[in-house]
Amino acid sequence: GQQVMQIPQYQHVQEGEDFTTYCNSSTTLSNIQWYKQRPGGHPVFLIQLVKSGEVKKQKRLTFQFGEAKKNSSLHITATQTTDVGTYFCAGEDPSSGSARQLTFGSGTQLTVLP
Amino acid sequence: NAGVTQTPKFRVLKTGQSMTLLCAQDMNHEYMYWYRQDPGMGLRLIHYSVGEGTTAKGEVPDGYNVSRLKKQNFLLGLESAAPSQTSVYFCASSYVGQGNSPLHFGNGTRLTVT
């Protein structure tokens, strides 16, 4: 079945440093979503990427979808303590039919040191 | 607007006991899902429903049953709990299939089976 790998598993950065997490799929994806989960909280939707090579920005966050639609990245510029949490990617398998299921990566846990 | 509400928030079971987790959403979403979250493994889909009266198996359905008698409610049952079912359980809903619209998650239920 489809596998979505996410690296790194953990990342510690000093406040103000940049951060990037990478997501790689074993198969071509229809689209990819990104979620953020604060410690003790629930995942919250950040963004969805659909087109090959798509780049979207949300303030200090930049999301990219690879040309082959098999990988994606999330880059945070100048991290702040409010960025702490686990970031998950979730990719849709084109063969999942009408249910349009997502496969989640294992997440990258970001710690920001003040 | 409550969104997705899960009850209970915490539960401790002994091996062999049964329980039901309740999920309710007030967004009139067609699709509902149950996930489990274990350290380092991301979110794994247990069961899902594409509408009232329908259910389907996800990635890890064994040991669980579900029912969707009303559109707004999705119940997850454990008939005979096992220590391997110790996890955090999240319910989610979406307007259409999850590959095409964001997932809205509840706050989670932390279940410990001893």
Side-chain angles (χ1 to χ4, degrees):
Chain A
Q2 180 187 31
Q3 290 188 347
V4 176
M5 309 299 292
Q6 196 171 348
I7 57 170
Q9 189 173 359
Y10 303 97
Q11 185 77 59
H12 292 74
V13 300
Q14 290 290 141
E15 189 173 15
E17 291 182 338
D18 292 356
F19 159 78
T20 305
T21 174
Y22 300 91
C23 191
N24 293 290
S25 170
S26 56
T27 59
T28 301
L29 301 169
S30 299
N31 56 69
I32 195 159
Q33 297 179 6
W34 285 90
Y35 291 81
K36 176 184 178 181
Q37 184 176 22
R38 294 183 186 274
H42 59 276
V44 175
F45 174 79
L46 293 176
I47 208 159
Q48 177 171 294
L49 304 171
V50 179
K51 299 176 183 176
S52 170
E54 190 169 13
V55 178
K56 287 188 176 180
K57 293 190 176 184
Q58 289 180 349
K59 297 183 181 178
R60 295 178 294 104
L61 278 61
T62 301
F63 304 84
Q64 294 188 335
F65 201 11
E67 293 290 342
K69 300 183 75 172
K70 294 181 74 173
N71 57 75
S72 182
S73 65
L74 159 59
H75 179 82
I76 302 178
T77 304
T79 55
Q80 300 175 357
T81 55
T82 54
D83 295 324
V84 164
T86 301
Y87 293 84
F88 292 96
C89 62
E92 181 193 354
D93 181 350
S95 65
S96 62
S98 60
R100 308 199 62 175
Q101 292 182 34
L102 291 171
T103 299
F104 279 80
S106 55
T108 295
Q109 186 175 320
L110 173 65
T111 301
V112 179
L113 305 170
Chain B
N1 198 348
V4 179
T5 304
Q6 288 182 237
T7 53
K9 289 184 170 56
F10 303 93
R11 187 71 187 268
V12 178
L13 289 179
K14 294 186 177 180
T15 298
Q17 287 185 321
S18 63
M19 77 162 294
T20 300
L21 281 66
L22 173 63
C23 177
Q25 55 95 3
D26 62 2
M27 295 175 284
N28 202 34
H29 285 170
E30 288 293 335
Y31 290 68
M32 296 187 75
Y33 315 87
W34 276 106
Y35 286 91
R36 60 178 290 173
Q37 184 175 36
D38 302 293
M41 299 188 72
L43 291 145
R44 292 183 293 168
L45 184 64
I46 304 171
H47 285 280
Y48 64 96
S49 168
V50 301
E52 181 179 312
T54 74
T55 63
K57 294 180 180 179
E59 180 186 354
V60 288
D62 294 343
Y64 305 95
N65 57 75
V66 288
S67 64
R68 182 116 181 255
L69 298 179
K70 292 183 178 180
K71 184 177 182 178
Q72 62 268 34
N73 296 334
F74 196 28
L75 278 63
L76 177 70
L78 285 72
E79 292 183 345
S80 180
S84 60
Q85 294 177 304
T86 293
S87 188
V88 179
Y89 291 85
F90 286 101
C91 176
S93 70
S94 63
Y95 182 62
V96 292
Q98 56 180 217
N100 207 33
S101 66
L103 293 175
H104 298 261
F105 286 88
N107 288 332
T109 297
R110 186 173 295 276
L111 173 66
T112 302
V113 182
T114 61

